Amino acid sequence: MHVLILGGTTEARRLAQAVCDARPEWRVTTSLAGRVARPLLPVGEVRTGGFGGADGLARALRELHVDALIDATHPFAGTISFHAATAATEAHVPLLALRRPGWVPTEGDNWHRVASLEDAATSLPALGRRAFLTVGRQGVPAFASVDDVFFLVRAVDPPEPPLPGHTQVLLSRGPFTLEDERALLQEHQIDVLVTKDAGGSATSAKLVAAREAGIPVIVVERPPVLASVQRVGSVAEVMDWLGQLSPWGSPRTESGGV
Ligand code: NAP
């Protein structure tokens, strides 16, 4: 079996590890877009860079003799997921999407859900003057025209212009602890948090810190998903699916490796 994982997420790295552990004889390749200068690398083979659209991905699936395609990309990486669906159909390769569940507000949260980064920028000045912006490097330009707000931007790599007029950049990669997030909000006198609904535990402490401090949170909702693509929420479920595909049975059951 050759399993191709579209990656760039914690889940994708965990999945590569799980498959390699359970089925060392299988070929596992993770594909990265190449956005991050020094990415955390998964086990198995790694290829980097775009495929050249859905057609290019379909060609790669055939040329690499891929038996199963897993879309384990970030919930906000909508284009590659769309291409994966088209390419898998074209190349007749089974496709499964691995998506971590979105965050859910709890009592005490003051969340403002918006449909896009642009909507977040529009609603921001009414909610605060000192924003903690955690929407990823590529999302920062959407806030460039917001002049009357100070931005503390946290990203793995430096965001590229245009940036908002009052911006301080903090280069950092999660996971982040609650203690650190509390201190950050306090140190920079943050009065509003802006985030995408990324889900997962690595970056969720900021939501707890915001709740404790009574700070409003602008939550950008996820882009719509393709109903035609089967989706699961955990690495274990992917392993079960791979086991059903493989003529050699479930890697999870046989090795107990996940
Ligand atoms: P995107 O808008 O969905 O994709 C844009 C283009 O980048 C795709 O058409 C494809 O180019 C290439 N691409 C994306 N993911 C790829 C992958 N895993 N392997 C090879 N090519 C890929 O994606 P994005 O939002 O820029 O995200 C890029 C990557 O960063 C994703 O892999 C994602 O998992 C990761 N990431 C994204 C976010 C986020 O908030 N968007 C956050 C954390 C991590 P071609 O058309 O040439 O094939």
Side-chain angles (χ1 to χ4, degrees):
M1 285 272 282
H2 184 190
V3 180
L4 177 61
I5 301 170
L6 301 174
T9 58
T10 309
E11 288 72 23
R13 284 192 300 279
R14 285 195 189 132
L15 176 62
Q17 185 73 59
V19 181
C20 287
D21 285 351
R23 285 291 187 188
E25 71 277 20
W26 286 7
R27 187 174 169 198
V28 178
T29 305
T30 298
S31 174
L32 301 177
R35 300 272 188 282
V36 178
R38 285 178 294 119
L40 297 176
L41 293 177
V43 297
E45 296 174 41
V46 176
R47 64 155 308 281
T48 303
F51 293 93
D55 287 347
L57 178 52
R59 208 174 312 120
L61 293 176
R62 287 193 210 97
E63 286 173 5
L64 296 169
H65 302 288
V66 171
D67 299 296
L69 177 63
I70 313 293
D71 173 13
T73 56
H74 193 271
F76 281 82
T79 308
I80 187 69
S81 295
F82 185 70
H83 289 176
T86 309
T89 305
E90 206 178 306
H92 304 290
V93 171
L95 166 68
L96 184 69
L98 169 59
R99 286 282 175 282
R100 57 174 98 133
W103 288 319
V104 179
T106 61
E107 203 178 329
D109 278 326
N110 177 9
W111 284 16
H112 301 256
R113 287 188 185 273
V114 294
S116 65
L117 290 168
E118 290 68 29
D119 287 353
T122 305
S123 49
L124 180 56
L127 290 168
R129 283 287 172 270
R130 296 185 64 82
F132 184 22
L133 189 59
T134 62
V135 294
R137 179 172 64 94
Q138 297 178 92
V140 180
F143 298 82
S145 62
V146 183
D147 288 330
D148 44 357
V149 173
F150 161 83
F151 288 90
L152 175 66
V153 172
R154 182 167 67 192
V156 176
D157 286 323
E160 280 156 29
L163 303 182
H166 310 285
T167 297
Q168 183 177 337
V169 176
L170 179 62
L171 296 182
S172 188
R173 192 194 317 246
F176 304 105
T177 67
L178 178 55
E179 208 179 359
D180 288 345
E181 299 293 50
R182 280 182 190 134
L184 206 61
L185 296 186
Q186 211 168 9
E187 184 189 340
H188 295 274
Q189 299 173 321
I190 298 298
D191 59 9
V192 59
L193 166 66
V194 187
T195 182
K196 297 196 274 195
D197 182 10
S201 59
T203 60
S204 62
K206 63 190 172 189
L207 300 170
V208 181
R211 183 190 313 139
E212 286 177 358
I215 291 172
V217 183
I218 299 179
V219 180
V220 182
E221 286 177 347
R222 295 176 171 199
V225 290
L226 285 170
S228 57
V229 176
Q230 190 185 343
R231 213 166 343 122
V232 296
S234 69
V235 167
E237 287 168 285
V238 180
M239 297 302 280
D240 286 341
W241 182 81
L242 285 171
Q244 285 159 24
L245 275 188
S246 154
W248 302 284
S250 167
R252 189 166 167 244
T253 316
E254 288 180 11
S255 76
V258 186

